[in-house]
Amino acid sequence: MADITVIGSNMIDLTTYIDRMPVEGETIEAPRFEMGFGGKGANQAMAAARLGSDVNFITMVGHDEFGKNQLENYQNSGIRTDGIGVGTQNSGVAPIFVDPTSDNRILIIKGANKELTPEVLDHKVDQIKGSKLIVLQQEIALETNYHAIELGEKYGVPVLLNPAPANEHLNIDYVSRTAFFTPNETELATLTGMPTDTLDGIKAAAHKLIDMGVGNLIITLGSKGALWVDKDHEQIVPGMKVKAVDTTGAGDSFIGSFAHYYTEGEDVATALQHANQYAAMTVTRRGTQKSYPTAEELPAMLAEYGK
Ligand code: ATP
Ligand code: RIB
């Protein structure tokens, strides 16, 4: 049985590195383009697998070449593919623009990811129920995630919900039934309607969710690391100082690596510290999944930063 079941999206990332965004009606040259494997679900599954977790990925790929490439990518990385279906639509794709400060703007066209319905999960129950953790994001229908949370409860598997991208319609009742809820600052603001531009604001918004019953709230803070809040305590887990070239998929690498370290038996604080380190390494390289180090590569990369 897999350690981690990731239920979610896959995309082909079409990344253009830009000097600046063109204004309306303008055509400008961009220095570089790269294509790679992405999608928040797939990225999280890949980070955990590259670190050595046994990962089961439940997703829907498109009925096109991209879909075949995706399947091969997971097989080559040792991710279990029995949970992967082929949809009737094209594969999901994500045009991404990365600027010289390493920040990104992303469009997603969901394609076959829309076909990952609650009914599909009912056919995958045997693959889900023995896992140590179910990991969810929000590039598939909210109803599918709600059903995954119900299945987690039914079979005693804790759920981590990463509410990315933000969706103001997310039902807080389901959020309160998760073991880990992991918004970034923007997603936290969308969900609580509270300002999150200061640490005090973030903490106040976090306690609003804790009061509603969320178990462990982990807020990612970009280069500043992460804030972990539960009903008894607050803890900042500081980020690492690195030279970032492309932050696309940093959040996913953080979640996937956290899932790996936590299901390996680390306590939450230690797993968060290791997830911060892993995510920091990914921003030093271009691309999404292609920037994720393997367990073998990681020590040498960290050593360059004195870790
Ligand atoms: P994205 O949408 O770009 O994938 P996100 O907004 O979901 O990311 P962030 O809070 O930006 O998530 O980043 C997630 C984690 O990645 C952080 O908690 C941190 O560990 C690491 N990280 C992100 N950016 C940097 C950076 N510039 N330097 C070091 N670590 C970083
Ligand atoms: O979080 C990064 C991911 O968001 C990219 O891989 C892109 O596919 C979008 O899903």
Side-chain angles (χ1 to χ4, degrees):
M1 195 52 70
D3 298 322
I4 300 168
T5 294
V6 179
I7 301 171
S9 60
N10 68 91
M11 307 272 171
I12 293 291
D13 287 353
L14 308 169
T15 306
T16 306
Y17 294 87
I18 56 170
D19 294 326
R20 66 171 175 87
M21 279 303 262
V23 296
E24 194 179 332
E26 187 187 27
T27 302
I28 53 173
E29 188 178 345
R32 188 185 185 109
F33 171 81
E34 283 186 24
M35 196 152 83
F37 295 107
K40 293 185 192 302
N43 296 343
Q44 295 177 12
M46 189 58 70
R50 292 239 164 107
L51 284 168
S53 279
D54 184 342
V55 179
N56 174 37
F57 185 31
I58 298 181
T59 195
M60 291 292 274
V61 298
H63 69 152
D64 48 20
E65 278 306 305
F66 283 160
K68 287 184 200 142
N69 298 340
Q70 292 280 17
L71 267 176
E72 258 173 48
N73 175 41
Y74 308 133
Q75 280 157 353
N76 292 341
S77 307
I79 292 174
R80 292 180 190 233
T81 53
D82 342 20
I84 302 184
V86 180
T88 62
Q89 307 182 37
N90 285 325
S91 292
V93 293
I96 300 175
F97 302 91
V98 178
D99 69 23
T101 70
S102 81
D103 279 336
N104 60 65
R105 289 153 205 253
I106 304 180
L107 289 165
I108 53 167
I109 298 98
K110 288 185 179 172
N113 289 295
K114 287 190 189 160
E115 297 175 52
L116 187 55
T117 58
E119 293 69 43
V120 171
L121 296 190
D122 284 331
H123 294 105
K124 317 282 181 193
V125 164
D126 284 345
Q127 295 159 30
I128 297 171
K129 62 185 181 193
S131 324
K132 295 181 193 159
L133 188 67
I134 295 172
V135 179
L136 308 170
Q137 329 70 36
Q138 294 190 153
E139 286 179 335
I140 56 169
L142 285 178
E143 287 65 33
T144 307
N145 277 349
Y146 297 159
H147 193 47
I149 292 168
E150 287 162 354
L151 290 174
E153 279 174 338
K154 184 166 174 187
Y155 296 108
V157 185
V159 174
L160 181 158
L161 173 58
N162 172 223
N167 186 333
E168 59 188 323
H169 301 296
L170 175 62
N171 181 337
I172 294 291
D173 173 50
Y174 281 97
V175 173
S176 69
R177 292 154 69 178
T178 62
F180 297 98
F181 186 62
T182 62
N184 66 15
E185 293 140 295
T186 319
E187 290 145 8
L188 184 65
T190 304
L191 286 165
T192 58
M194 293 167 72
T196 56
D197 39 8
T198 63
L199 188 57
D200 283 346
I202 291 171
K203 286 181 178 173
H207 281 285
K208 183 170 174 181
L209 290 182
I210 294 292
D211 291 346
M212 289 173 166
V214 175
N216 292 282
L217 188 60
I218 294 159
I219 300 144
T220 59
L221 307 172
S223 60
K224 295 194 283 305
L227 171 68
W228 170 34
V229 185
D230 66 16
K231 67 179 176 21
D232 303 315
H233 92 306
E234 289 169 359
Q235 183 177 340
I236 291 270
V237 187
M240 267 178 73
K241 278 207 178 10
V242 295
K243 183 167 174 357
V245 297
D246 181 356
T247 60
T248 316
D252 298 330
S253 70
F254 179 91
I255 302 301
S257 59
F258 172 77
H260 164 78
Y261 292 119
Y262 177 73
T263 55
E264 272 218 316
E266 290 187 0
D267 59 53
V268 176
T270 310
L272 288 175
Q273 201 186 332
H274 286 145
N276 256 340
Q277 292 181 352
Y278 187 81
M281 292 304 101
T282 72
V283 307
T284 66
R285 309 205 280 203
R286 283 202 183 85
T288 315
Q289 287 176 32
K290 57 176 120 165
S291 73
Y292 294 1
T294 60
E296 291 72 36
E297 284 176 292
L298 189 60
M301 289 178 79
L302 286 171
E304 279 186 38
Y305 289 90
K307 298 282 176 189

